[in-house]
Amino acid sequence: MPEPAKPGESRIDPVDAAGFVGAGDHDDRVTSPAAGRLERFLEAGKTAIPPLTLLSAVLFYFGYVSARARYEYFGVDVDTIGLGTQEYIMRSPQPLLTPLLVFAAAGAGSVAVHAVVRKRIRTTSTRRMGRVAQGIGLGTLTAGLVLLFGYAFLGGWRLYGLVTPLLIAAGTTLFRYGSAIRRLLRPPVHRGAVVLGYLVIAVSVFWMTATVAQWSGRGAAMSDAARLDKLPSVILDTKESLFLRSPGLEETKLPPSEGQTFHYRYRRLRLLIHGKDRMFLVPDRWSASDSTIIVPLDGSVRVQFQFQNDRP
C-alpha cells in the first residue's frame, strides 16, 4: 500500500500517471488495446497471405487494368493477345508511379500534421480539433456515399471513378483521426469500428488506384495513336487478298512465279503488339475508320520489319 503523502509533498497515482503518458507524451511501452488488436489482425493476415504473393497479385491486377484500357482503344480485347503474368507485372510500374508518389506525399504531410497535433495534445483545444476533424470527415464521407449510391445517375461522369473513392477514403480518414484525437481523453471505441474504418480506406485507395491505372492505359493508347509512325514498320505478304478497309494502306499484287505461295503485299502497317502466337497490326496513320489486323504466326503469312529511315 502506498504511503500517504507528507505535508508539502505531491504524489501522483501510478494509474493516473500511466494514463497521462498514454494520452500525451506517448511511451512506446504503453500500447492501447485497439492498437494491439490491430497488430494481431495484421500479423494474422501476413501469415495467411504471403507478402510476396499479395504484391504479385496487386501488380498483376493493375498491369492488367492498364493493358486492357490501352488496347481496348484499338478495338482489341487484351485477353486475345495472350500476355502472361510476368508481362502484366512488368507493365504495372507505369500506372502505379503517380499513385505511389501521391500517397508518399500524403503520408509525409500526415506525419507533419500529426507532429503539430501532438504538441497541442494537452491544450484545451484537443476536443475542439477532434470535433472539427470528425465533422469535416463525416461531411466528406457523406458526399462520397451519395455519389456511390447515385451511380445509376452519375456513373457516366468521367471523374466518377476517382472522386467517389477519394471522398470516401478522405472522409473516413478524417473521421477516424478526429475520433483518435478525442479518444485520448475517452475510453477506446470497439475494435470492429477500427477494423471497418481501415477496410473502407483500403478499398477506396484500391479503387482510386485502379481508376488511375485505367486512365494511364487509355492515355498511353492515345499517345500511341498520335504517333503511329514511331511503331515498328511491317510489310505483310499474304496468300489471298485481305480486303482491308483502313484508308492509306497499300495493297500490291505480287507477280506470279514458280513456287510462289504469297500473292499480295501490304505496306504502311505498324506493329501494335506481339502476342504469344500472333501479331496485331495497325495502319501508320490514325483514322476513325481504322481497324486492327490480327496476323497468326503459323506460316500462312510472311512478315518483314523495315529499317527506320533515319540514316545512322
Side-chain angles (χ1 to χ4, degrees), residues 41-235:
F41 176 80
L42 294 178
E43 289 297 330
K46 291 180 181 179
T47 305
I49 305 176
L52 184 58
T53 303
L54 178 60
L55 177 62
S56 299
V58 171
L59 293 178
F60 170 83
Y61 175 76
F62 291 123
Y64 177 84
V65 169
S66 177
R68 187 173 188 85
R70 181 173 188 174
Y71 296 110
E72 188 178 41
Y73 183 83
F74 295 97
V76 179
D77 187 343
V78 71
D79 294 329
T80 64
I81 300 177
L83 299 177
T85 302
Q86 183 177 1
E87 292 168 303
Y88 284 121
I89 291 177
M90 293 176 63
R91 293 170 180 270
S92 61
Q94 179 181 358
L96 287 179
L97 179 60
T98 299
L100 289 178
L101 290 176
V102 171
F103 293 150
S110 301
V111 172
V113 171
H114 184 63
V116 174
V117 171
R118 285 183 62 84
K119 291 180 180 179
R120 303 181 58 186
I121 208 67
R122 295 182 185 178
T123 66
T124 57
S125 62
T126 300
R127 292 184 181 272
R128 188 183 311 148
M129 292 171 56
R131 285 195 297 268
V132 170
Q134 282 184 311
I136 296 175
L138 185 60
T140 306
L141 177 60
T142 302
L145 293 177
V146 169
L147 289 176
L148 179 64
F149 290 107
Y151 176 80
F153 306 99
L154 303 172
W157 183 28
R158 185 174 180 272
L159 299 179
Y160 180 87
L162 181 67
V163 174
T164 302
L166 178 61
L167 291 176
I168 294 176
T172 305
T173 302
L174 285 174
F175 186 82
R176 289 291 310 128
Y177 190 67
S179 301
I181 294 176
R182 300 187 65 186
R183 194 167 63 244
L184 294 174
L185 305 176
R186 296 186 309 176
V189 297
H190 193 270
R191 67 172 182 177
V194 177
V195 174
L196 181 60
Y198 285 118
L199 181 61
V200 170
I201 295 172
V203 172
S204 300
V205 169
F206 191 87
W207 184 2
M208 281 189 293
T209 309
T211 301
V212 173
Q214 185 178 13
W215 288 0
S216 174
R218 186 77 171 183
M222 297 180 72
S223 177
D224 290 340
R227 300 181 301 170
L228 290 172
D229 58 331
K230 301 300 182 182
L231 299 177
S233 180
V234 176
I235 299 175

Side-chain angles (χ1 to χ4, degrees), residues 259-307:
Q260 177 66 267
T261 59
F262 299 100
H263 306 291
Y264 293 89
R265 173 164 292 176
Y266 294 91
R267 295 178 180 271
R268 302 190 65 178
L269 289 169
R270 301 285 173 166
L271 176 64
L272 177 64
I273 186 173
H274 188 295
K276 182 178 181 181
D277 55 357
R278 64 196 69 183
M279 294 191 307
F280 296 80
L281 307 180
V282 294
D284 61 357
R285 292 184 180 179
W286 185 89
S287 173
S289 59
D290 281 343
S291 58
T292 302
I293 307 168
I294 303 177
V295 178
L297 300 178
D298 55 1
S300 61
V301 297
R302 181 170 58 194
V303 177
Q304 302 176 57
F305 290 94
Q306 284 186 291
F307 282 3

Side-chain angles (χ1 to χ4, degrees), residues 2-12:
E3 298 179 0
K6 298 178 181 179
E9 179 183 4
S10 63
R11 299 186 60 87
I12 301 178

